[in-house]
Amino acid sequence: MDRRLAAYAVCIENGRVLLALAVSPDGDRTWTLPGGGVEHAEDPFDTVIREVAEETGSEAVVERLLGVDSRVIPAGERRLPGAPELQNVGVFYGVRVTGGTLRPEPNGDTAASVWTPVAEVARLRRSSLVDIGLDLARTLPPSGHVGPVPVGGLVQH
């Protein structure tokens, strides 16, 4: 089994959430939250700020820890043929944008970053991370845990 530790930003402002359009090498396009893998010896708190800047061009500050999600992606559902199952451990932060200008990620996987009305998210082809982050932000569970999010249709791994 592969494991990935990542940090994700849930930026909600005036009924809109900041989303990033991730484009895979094969051209698959999925809306997701700004965020990504924690680098060696990096604190997830620092990761989320770095990832927001890299992927969106925005400066941001962390306002609170929303929760931690752990889910296993079966080998057959991974984008990499032949890869083993993946345990993704995601640390979700409530983040406020303080400056910068939205832009695509230079030389990266993020083709666009946009403020999207929360009410329109359900119509987008999106990562399950979006649903997890929005649920954590909406419910603020004292345990910091969110239940499973079904994958299928417009919701991808």
Side-chain angles (χ1 to χ4, degrees):
M1 173 185 283
D2 287 341
R3 285 191 179 83
R4 179 174 191 256
L5 175 60
Y8 302 102
V10 183
C11 308
I12 300 174
E13 188 177 292
N14 300 318
R16 302 174 305 158
V17 61
L18 182 59
L19 296 179
L21 181 59
V23 181
S24 68
D26 65 2
D28 189 40
R29 300 164 71 86
T30 305
W31 289 100
T32 190
L33 296 172
V38 176
E39 294 179 356
H40 179 75
E42 186 178 34
D43 187 308
F45 184 93
D46 298 324
T47 301
V48 76
I49 298 301
R50 174 182 55 77
E51 287 285 347
V52 168
E54 288 176 4
E55 293 181 356
T56 73
S58 298
E59 299 164 11
V61 294
V62 171
E63 293 193 314
R64 70 172 293 144
L65 173 66
L66 296 174
V68 176
D69 175 71
S70 175
R71 61 193 57 239
V72 174
I73 300 170
E77 296 178 22
R78 294 207 44 202
R79 292 183 182 173
L80 301 171
E85 65 185 0
L86 169 70
Q87 179 184 16
N88 189 72
V89 178
V91 182
F92 290 78
Y93 292 98
V95 172
R96 181 171 45 87
V97 171
T98 59
T101 302
L102 289 182
R103 53 133 177 87
E105 181 179 14
N107 304 313
D109 299 335
T110 304
S113 297
V114 298
W115 287 100
T116 304
V118 173
E120 293 179 15
V121 168
R123 290 179 278 204
L124 299 176
R125 185 172 193 276
R126 65 197 182 279
S127 167
S128 59
L129 300 170
V130 175
D131 293 35
I132 294 163
L134 289 175
D135 192 47
L136 285 167
R138 182 177 43 69
T139 62
L140 297 175
S143 66
H145 187 264
V146 65
V149 171
V151 174
L154 294 175
V155 180
Q156 310 296 305
H157 283 298

